[in-house]
Coordinates of all heavy atoms in Angstrom, one line a residue:
M1 N -24.2 -2.1 -32.2 CA -23.0 -1.6 -31.6 C -23.4 -0.6 -30.4 O -24.3 0.1 -30.5 CB -22.2 -0.8 -32.6 CG -21.3 -1.6 -33.5 SD -20.5 -0.7 -34.8 CE -19.3 0.3 -33.9
E2 N -22.6 -0.7 -29.4 CA -22.8 0.2 -28.3 C -22.1 1.5 -28.5 O -21.0 1.5 -29.0 CB -22.3 -0.5 -27.0 CG -23.1 -1.6 -26.5 CD -22.6 -2.2 -25.2 OE1 -22.0 -1.5 -24.4 OE2 -22.8 -3.4 -25.0
K3 N -22.7 2.5 -28.0 CA -22.0 3.8 -28.0 C -21.1 4.0 -26.8 O -21.6 3.7 -25.7 CB -23.0 5.0 -28.1 CG -22.5 6.3 -28.3 CD -23.5 7.3 -28.4 CE -22.9 8.7 -28.6 NZ -23.9 9.7 -28.7
K4 N -19.8 4.3 -27.0 CA -18.9 4.4 -25.9 C -19.1 5.7 -25.2 O -19.4 6.7 -25.8 CB -17.5 4.3 -26.4 CG -17.1 2.9 -26.9 CD -15.6 2.9 -27.2 CE -15.2 1.5 -27.7 NZ -13.8 1.4 -28.0
N5 N -19.0 5.6 -23.9 CA -19.1 6.8 -23.0 C -17.7 7.5 -23.1 O -16.7 6.9 -22.9 CB -19.4 6.4 -21.6 CG -19.7 7.6 -20.7 OD1 -19.5 8.7 -21.1 ND2 -20.1 7.3 -19.5
D6 N -17.8 8.9 -23.3 CA -16.5 9.7 -23.4 C -15.7 9.6 -22.2 O -14.5 9.8 -22.2 CB -16.9 11.1 -23.7 CG -17.3 11.3 -25.2 OD1 -17.1 10.4 -26.0 OD2 -18.0 12.3 -25.5
S7 N -16.3 9.4 -21.0 CA -15.5 9.4 -19.8 C -14.7 8.1 -19.7 O -13.7 8.1 -18.9 CB -16.4 9.5 -18.6 OG -17.3 8.3 -18.5
N8 N -14.9 7.1 -20.5 CA -14.2 5.9 -20.5 C -13.0 5.9 -21.4 O -12.3 4.9 -21.5 CB -15.1 4.7 -20.8 CG -16.1 4.4 -19.7 OD1 -15.9 4.8 -18.5 ND2 -17.2 3.8 -20.0
I9 N -12.8 6.9 -22.2 CA -11.7 7.0 -23.2 C -10.4 7.2 -22.4 O -10.3 8.0 -21.5 CB -11.9 8.2 -24.1 CG1 -13.2 7.9 -25.0 CG2 -10.7 8.3 -25.0 CD1 -13.5 9.0 -25.9
D10 N -9.4 6.4 -22.8 CA -8.1 6.5 -22.2 C -7.4 7.7 -22.8 O -7.0 7.7 -24.0 CB -7.3 5.2 -22.5 CG -6.0 5.1 -21.8 OD1 -5.6 6.1 -21.1 OD2 -5.3 4.1 -21.9
K11 N -7.2 8.7 -22.0 CA -6.6 9.9 -22.4 C -5.1 9.8 -22.9 O -4.7 10.5 -23.8 CB -6.6 11.0 -21.3 CG -7.9 11.3 -20.8 CD -8.8 11.9 -21.8 CE -10.2 12.3 -21.2 NZ -11.2 12.5 -22.1
R12 N -4.4 8.8 -22.4 CA -3.0 8.5 -22.8 C -3.0 8.1 -24.3 O -2.1 8.4 -25.0 CB -2.4 7.5 -21.9 CG -2.1 7.9 -20.5 CD -1.6 6.8 -19.7 NE -2.7 5.8 -19.6 CZ -2.7 4.7 -19.0 NH1 -1.6 4.3 -18.5 NH2 -3.7 3.9 -19.0
K13 N -4.0 7.3 -24.7 CA -4.1 6.9 -26.1 C -4.2 8.1 -27.0 O -3.6 8.1 -28.1 CB -5.2 5.9 -26.3 CG -5.2 5.2 -27.6 CD -6.2 4.1 -27.7 CE -6.1 3.5 -29.1 NZ -7.1 2.4 -29.3
L14 N -5.1 9.0 -26.6 CA -5.3 10.2 -27.4 C -4.0 11.0 -27.6 O -3.6 11.4 -28.7 CB -6.4 11.1 -26.8 CG -7.8 10.6 -26.9 CD1 -8.7 11.5 -26.1 CD2 -8.3 10.4 -28.3
E15 N -3.3 11.2 -26.5 CA -2.0 11.9 -26.5 C -1.0 11.2 -27.4 O -0.3 11.8 -28.2 CB -1.4 12.1 -25.1 CG -0.1 12.8 -25.1 CD -0.2 14.2 -25.6 OE1 -1.2 14.9 -25.6 OE2 0.8 14.7 -26.2
Q16 N -1.0 9.8 -27.3 CA 0.0 9.1 -28.1 C -0.3 9.3 -29.6 O 0.6 9.5 -30.4 CB -0.2 7.6 -27.8 CG 0.8 6.7 -28.6 CD 0.6 5.2 -28.3 OE1 -0.4 4.9 -27.6 NE2 1.5 4.4 -28.7
N17 N -1.6 9.3 -30.0 CA -2.0 9.5 -31.4 C -1.6 10.9 -31.8 O -1.2 11.1 -32.9 CB -3.5 9.3 -31.6 CG -3.9 7.8 -31.4 OD1 -3.0 7.0 -31.6 ND2 -5.1 7.6 -31.2
Q18 N -1.7 11.9 -30.9 CA -1.3 13.3 -31.2 C 0.2 13.3 -31.5 O 0.6 14.0 -32.4 CB -1.7 14.2 -30.1 CG -3.2 14.5 -30.0 CD -3.5 15.4 -28.8 OE1 -2.6 15.6 -28.0 NE2 -4.7 16.0 -28.8
N19 N 0.9 12.6 -30.7 CA 2.4 12.6 -30.9 C 2.7 12.0 -32.3 O 3.6 12.4 -33.0 CB 3.1 11.8 -29.8 CG 3.1 12.6 -28.5 OD1 3.0 13.8 -28.5 ND2 3.2 11.9 -27.4
V20 N 2.0 10.9 -32.7 CA 2.3 10.3 -34.0 C 2.0 11.3 -35.1 O 2.7 11.5 -36.1 CB 1.4 9.0 -34.2 CG1 1.5 8.5 -35.6 CG2 2.0 8.0 -33.2
T21 N 0.9 12.1 -35.0 CA 0.5 13.1 -36.0 C 1.5 14.1 -36.1 O 1.9 14.6 -37.2 CB -0.9 13.7 -35.6 OG1 -1.9 12.6 -35.5 CG2 -1.3 14.7 -36.7
K22 N 2.1 14.6 -34.9 CA 3.1 15.6 -34.9 C 4.4 15.1 -35.6 O 5.1 15.8 -36.3 CB 3.4 16.1 -33.5 CG 2.3 16.9 -32.9 CD 2.6 17.3 -31.5 CE 1.4 18.1 -30.9 NZ 1.7 18.3 -29.5
E23 N 4.7 13.8 -35.3 CA 5.8 13.2 -35.9 C 5.7 13.1 -37.4 O 6.7 13.4 -38.1 CB 6.0 11.7 -35.3 CG 7.3 11.1 -35.8 CD 7.4 9.7 -35.2 OE1 6.9 9.4 -34.1 OE2 8.2 8.9 -35.8
Y24 N 4.5 12.8 -37.9 CA 4.3 12.8 -39.4 C 4.4 14.2 -39.9 O 5.1 14.4 -41.0 CB 2.9 12.3 -39.7 CG 2.7 10.8 -39.6 CD1 1.5 10.2 -39.2 CD2 3.8 9.9 -39.9 CE1 1.3 8.9 -39.1 CE2 3.6 8.5 -39.8 CZ 2.4 8.0 -39.4 OH 2.2 6.7 -39.3
A25 N 3.9 15.2 -39.2 CA 4.0 16.6 -39.7 C 5.4 17.0 -39.8 O 5.8 17.6 -40.9 CB 3.2 17.5 -38.8
V26 N 6.2 16.7 -38.8 CA 7.6 17.1 -38.9 C 8.4 16.3 -39.9 O 9.2 16.9 -40.7 CB 8.3 16.9 -37.5 CG1 9.8 17.1 -37.6 CG2 7.7 17.9 -36.5
S27 N 8.1 15.1 -40.1 CA 8.7 14.2 -41.1 C 8.5 14.8 -42.5 O 9.4 14.9 -43.3 CB 8.3 12.8 -41.0 OG 8.6 12.2 -39.8
Y28 N 7.2 15.1 -42.8 CA 6.9 15.6 -44.1 C 7.5 17.0 -44.3 O 8.0 17.3 -45.4 CB 5.3 15.7 -44.3 CG 4.7 14.4 -44.6 CD1 3.8 13.8 -43.8 CD2 5.0 13.7 -45.8 CE1 3.2 12.6 -44.0 CE2 4.4 12.5 -46.1 CZ 3.5 11.9 -45.2 OH 2.9 10.8 -45.5
A29 N 7.5 17.8 -43.3 CA 8.1 19.1 -43.4 C 9.6 19.0 -43.7 O 10.2 19.7 -44.5 CB 7.9 19.9 -42.1
M30 N 10.3 18.0 -43.0 CA 11.7 17.8 -43.2 C 12.0 17.4 -44.7 O 12.9 17.9 -45.3 CB 12.3 16.8 -42.3 CG 12.4 17.2 -40.8 SD 12.8 15.9 -39.7 CE 14.4 15.3 -40.3
L31 N 11.2 16.5 -45.2 CA 11.3 16.1 -46.6 C 11.1 17.2 -47.6 O 11.8 17.4 -48.5 CB 10.4 14.9 -46.9 CG 10.7 13.6 -46.2 CD1 9.6 12.6 -46.4 CD2 12.0 13.0 -46.6
A32 N 10.1 18.0 -47.3 CA 9.8 19.2 -48.2 C 10.9 20.2 -48.1 O 11.4 20.7 -49.1 CB 8.5 19.8 -47.7
Y33 N 11.4 20.5 -46.9 CA 12.5 21.4 -46.7 C 13.8 20.9 -47.5 O 14.5 21.7 -48.2 CB 12.8 21.6 -45.2 CG 14.0 22.5 -45.0 CD1 13.8 23.9 -44.9 CD2 15.3 22.0 -44.8 CE1 14.8 24.8 -44.7 CE2 16.3 22.9 -44.5 CZ 16.1 24.3 -44.5 OH 17.2 25.1 -44.2
N34 N 14.1 19.6 -47.3 CA 15.2 19.0 -47.9 C 15.1 19.1 -49.5 O 16.1 19.3 -50.2 CB 15.4 17.6 -47.5 CG 16.8 17.1 -47.8 OD1 17.8 17.8 -47.7 ND2 16.9 15.8 -48.2
N35 N 13.9 19.0 -50.0 CA 13.7 19.0 -51.4 C 13.8 20.5 -51.9 O 14.4 20.7 -53.0 CB 12.2 18.5 -51.7 CG 12.0 18.3 -53.2 OD1 13.0 18.2 -54.0 ND2 10.8 18.2 -53.6
L36 N 13.4 21.4 -51.1 CA 13.5 22.9 -51.5 C 14.9 23.4 -51.3 O 15.4 24.3 -52.0 CB 12.5 23.7 -50.7 CG 11.0 23.4 -51.0 CD1 10.1 24.2 -50.0 CD2 10.7 23.9 -52.5
H37 N 15.6 22.9 -50.2 CA 16.9 23.4 -49.9 C 17.8 22.2 -49.6 O 18.1 21.9 -48.5 CB 16.8 24.2 -48.6 CG 15.9 25.4 -48.6 ND1 16.1 26.5 -49.3 CD2 14.6 25.5 -48.1 CE1 15.1 27.4 -49.2 NE2 14.2 26.8 -48.5
P38 N 18.3 21.6 -50.7 CA 19.1 20.3 -50.6 C 20.4 20.5 -49.8 O 20.9 19.6 -49.2 CB 19.4 19.9 -52.0 CG 18.8 20.9 -52.9 CD 18.1 22.0 -52.1
N39 N 20.9 21.7 -49.8 CA 22.2 22.0 -49.0 C 21.9 22.6 -47.7 O 22.9 23.0 -47.0 CB 23.1 22.9 -49.9 CG 23.5 22.2 -51.2 OD1 23.7 21.0 -51.2 ND2 23.6 23.0 -52.2
G40 N 20.7 22.7 -47.3 CA 20.3 23.4 -46.0 C 20.5 22.4 -44.8 O 20.7 21.2 -45.0
D41 N 20.4 22.9 -43.6 CA 20.6 22.1 -42.4 C 19.2 21.6 -42.0 O 18.5 22.3 -41.2 CB 21.3 22.9 -41.3 CG 21.6 22.0 -40.1 OD1 21.2 20.8 -40.1 OD2 22.2 22.6 -39.2
V42 N 18.8 20.4 -42.4 CA 17.5 19.9 -42.1 C 17.3 19.6 -40.6 O 16.2 19.7 -40.1 CB 17.1 18.7 -43.0 CG1 17.9 17.5 -42.6 CG2 15.6 18.5 -43.0
E43 N 18.4 19.2 -39.9 CA 18.3 18.9 -38.5 C 17.9 20.2 -37.7 O 17.1 20.2 -36.8 CB 19.6 18.3 -38.0 CG 19.6 17.9 -36.6 CD 20.8 17.3 -36.1 OE1 21.8 17.1 -36.9 OE2 20.9 17.0 -34.9
K44 N 18.6 21.3 -38.0 CA 18.3 22.6 -37.3 C 16.9 23.0 -37.6 O 16.2 23.4 -36.7 CB 19.3 23.6 -37.8 CG 19.1 25.0 -37.1 CD 19.9 26.1 -37.8 CE 21.3 26.2 -37.2 NZ 22.0 27.4 -37.7
F45 N 16.4 22.8 -38.9 CA 15.1 23.1 -39.2 C 14.1 22.3 -38.4 O 13.1 22.8 -37.9 CB 14.9 22.9 -40.7 CG 13.4 23.0 -41.2 CD1 12.8 24.3 -41.3 CD2 12.7 21.9 -41.5 CE1 11.5 24.4 -41.8 CE2 11.4 22.0 -41.9 CZ 10.8 23.2 -42.1
A46 N 14.3 21.0 -38.3 CA 13.4 20.1 -37.6 C 13.3 20.4 -36.2 O 12.2 20.4 -35.6 CB 13.9 18.6 -37.8
L47 N 14.4 20.7 -35.5 CA 14.4 21.0 -34.1 C 13.7 22.3 -33.8 O 12.9 22.4 -32.9 CB 15.9 21.2 -33.6 CG 16.6 19.8 -33.5 CD1 18.1 20.1 -33.2 CD2 16.0 18.9 -32.6
K48 N 13.8 23.3 -34.7 CA 13.1 24.6 -34.6 C 11.6 24.3 -34.8 O 10.8 24.9 -34.1 CB 13.6 25.6 -35.6 CG 13.0 26.9 -35.4 CD 13.5 27.6 -34.1 CE 13.0 29.0 -34.0 NZ 13.2 29.5 -32.6
M49 N 11.3 23.5 -35.8 CA 9.9 23.2 -36.0 C 9.2 22.5 -34.8 O 8.1 22.8 -34.5 CB 9.7 22.3 -37.3 CG 8.3 21.9 -37.5 SD 8.1 21.1 -39.1 CE 7.4 22.5 -40.0
V50 N 9.9 21.5 -34.2 CA 9.3 20.8 -33.1 C 9.1 21.8 -31.9 O 8.1 21.8 -31.2 CB 10.3 19.7 -32.6 CG1 9.9 19.1 -31.3 CG2 10.3 18.6 -33.6
E51 N 10.1 22.7 -31.7 CA 9.9 23.8 -30.7 C 8.7 24.6 -30.9 O 7.9 24.9 -30.0 CB 11.2 24.6 -30.7 CG 11.2 25.7 -29.7 CD 12.5 26.6 -29.8 OE1 13.5 26.0 -30.1 OE2 12.4 27.8 -29.6
I52 N 8.5 25.0 -32.2 CA 7.3 25.8 -32.5 C 6.0 25.1 -32.3 O 5.0 25.6 -31.8 CB 7.5 26.4 -33.9 CG1 8.6 27.4 -34.0 CG2 6.2 27.0 -34.4 CD1 9.0 27.8 -35.4
I53 N 6.0 23.8 -32.8 CA 4.8 23.0 -32.7 C 4.4 22.8 -31.2 O 3.2 22.9 -30.9 CB 5.0 21.6 -33.4 CG1 5.0 21.8 -34.9 CG2 3.9 20.6 -32.9 CD1 5.3 20.5 -35.6
R54 N 5.3 22.6 -30.4 CA 5.1 22.4 -28.9 C 4.5 23.6 -28.3 O 3.8 23.6 -27.3 CB 6.3 21.9 -28.2 CG 6.7 20.5 -28.5 CD 7.9 20.0 -27.8 NE 8.1 18.6 -28.0 CZ 9.3 18.0 -27.8 NH1 10.3 18.7 -27.3 NH2 9.5 16.8 -28.1
A55 N 4.9 24.8 -28.8 CA 4.5 26.1 -28.2 C 3.1 26.5 -28.6 O 2.5 27.3 -27.9 CB 5.5 27.2 -28.6
M56 N 2.6 25.9 -29.7 CA 1.2 26.3 -30.2 C 0.1 25.4 -29.8 O 0.4 24.2 -29.7 CB 1.2 26.3 -31.7 CG 1.8 27.5 -32.3 SD 1.5 27.5 -34.1 CE 3.0 28.2 -34.7
K57 N -1.0 25.9 -29.5 CA -2.2 25.1 -29.2 C -2.8 24.7 -30.6 O -2.8 25.5 -31.5 CB -3.2 25.9 -28.4 CG -2.7 26.3 -27.1 CD -3.8 26.8 -26.2 CE -3.3 27.2 -24.9 NZ -3.3 26.3 -23.8
P58 N -3.2 23.4 -30.7 CA -3.7 22.9 -32.0 C -4.8 23.8 -32.6 O -4.7 24.0 -33.8 CB -4.2 21.5 -31.6 CG -3.5 21.1 -30.4 CD -3.2 22.4 -29.6
K59 N -5.8 24.2 -31.9 CA -6.9 25.0 -32.5 C -6.3 26.3 -33.1 O -6.7 26.7 -34.1 CB -7.9 25.3 -31.4 CG -8.8 24.1 -31.1 CD -9.9 24.5 -30.1 CE -10.7 23.3 -29.8 NZ -11.8 23.6 -28.8
Y60 N -5.4 27.0 -32.4 CA -4.8 28.2 -32.9 C -4.0 27.9 -34.2 O -4.1 28.6 -35.1 CB -3.8 28.8 -31.8 CG -3.0 29.9 -32.3 CD1 -3.6 31.2 -32.4 CD2 -1.7 29.8 -32.7 CE1 -2.8 32.3 -32.9 CE2 -0.9 30.9 -33.2 CZ -1.5 32.1 -33.3 OH -0.8 33.2 -33.7
A61 N -3.3 26.8 -34.2 CA -2.5 26.4 -35.4 C -3.3 26.2 -36.6 O -3.0 26.7 -37.7 CB -1.6 25.2 -35.1
V62 N -4.5 25.5 -36.4 CA -5.4 25.3 -37.5 C -6.0 26.6 -38.0 O -6.1 26.8 -39.2 CB -6.5 24.3 -37.0 CG1 -7.6 24.2 -38.1 CG2 -5.9 22.9 -36.8
K63 N -6.4 27.5 -37.1 CA -6.9 28.8 -37.5 C -5.9 29.6 -38.3 O -6.2 30.2 -39.4 CB -7.4 29.6 -36.3 CG -8.7 29.1 -35.7 CD -9.1 30.0 -34.5 CE -10.3 29.4 -33.9 NZ -10.7 30.2 -32.7
Q64 N -4.6 29.6 -37.9 CA -3.6 30.3 -38.6 C -3.3 29.7 -39.9 O -3.1 30.4 -40.9 CB -2.3 30.4 -37.7 CG -2.5 31.2 -36.4 CD -3.0 32.7 -36.7 OE1 -2.4 33.4 -37.6 NE2 -4.0 33.1 -36.0
A65 N -3.2 28.4 -40.0 CA -2.9 27.7 -41.2 C -4.1 28.0 -42.2 O -3.8 28.2 -43.4 CB -2.7 26.2 -41.0
D66 N -5.3 28.0 -41.7 CA -6.4 28.3 -42.6 C -6.4 29.7 -43.2 O -6.6 29.9 -44.4 CB -7.7 28.1 -41.8 CG -8.9 28.0 -42.7 OD1 -8.9 27.4 -43.8 OD2 -10.0 28.6 -42.4
K67 N -5.9 30.6 -42.4 CA -5.7 32.0 -42.8 C -4.7 32.1 -44.0 O -4.8 32.8 -44.9 CB -5.3 32.9 -41.7 CG -6.4 33.3 -40.8 CD -5.9 34.2 -39.7 CE -7.0 34.5 -38.6 NZ -6.5 35.4 -37.6
L68 N -3.6 31.3 -43.8 CA -2.6 31.3 -44.8 C -3.1 30.7 -46.2 O -2.6 31.2 -47.2 CB -1.4 30.4 -44.4 CG -0.5 31.0 -43.3 CD1 0.5 30.0 -42.9 CD2 0.2 32.3 -43.7
L69 N -4.0 29.8 -46.1 CA -4.5 29.2 -47.3 C -5.5 30.1 -48.1 O -5.7 29.9 -49.2 CB -5.2 27.8 -47.0 CG -4.2 26.7 -46.6 CD1 -5.0 25.5 -46.1 CD2 -3.3 26.4 -47.7
K70 N -6.1 31.1 -47.3 CA -7.1 31.9 -48.0 C -6.5 33.1 -48.7 O -5.5 33.6 -48.7 CB -8.1 32.4 -46.9 CG -8.9 31.3 -46.4 CD -9.9 31.9 -45.4 CE -10.8 30.7 -45.0 NZ -11.8 31.1 -44.0

């Protein structure tokens, strides 16, 4: 097998995969919220969550989430 050169990686594909990951995160969060608050407004929650996710850098988000788990 040949080792791929990093400069040949299509950056659009990476961004597309990131968007799918964010979509999964929001989907799971919506399901969890709906389970915890069945009468709550899940649409408002999801829109706010997307706004917050877009504002954070991934490395920062991982560090903060790790702090919450400790």
Side-chain angles (χ1 to χ4, degrees):
M1 275 175 76
E2 288 182 28
K3 189 174 179 181
K4 290 186 179 181
N5 187 354
D6 287 341
S7 63
N8 292 335
I9 295 174
D10 185 358
K11 304 295 185 199
R12 290 172 297 175
K13 187 172 183 181
L14 292 176
E15 180 60 32
Q16 181 183 12
N17 290 342
Q18 287 177 346
N19 287 339
V20 169
T21 303
K22 289 176 185 175
E23 186 177 337
Y24 284 147
V26 172
S27 297
Y28 281 117
M30 287 172 60
L31 292 172
Y33 179 85
N34 196 38
N35 192 17
L36 294 170
H37 305 284
N39 297 325
D41 185 359
V42 74
E43 183 178 357
K44 184 189 265 186
F45 171 76
L47 292 173
K48 187 66 176 171
M49 176 169 257
V50 169
E51 180 182 325
I52 292 169
I53 287 173
R54 286 181 177 162
M56 279 190 215
K57 295 193 184 265
K59 287 183 182 180
Y60 173 79
V62 170
K63 285 180 185 178
Q64 293 304 312
D66 194 38
K67 284 181 185 178
L68 287 174
L69 291 174
K70 290 183 179 179

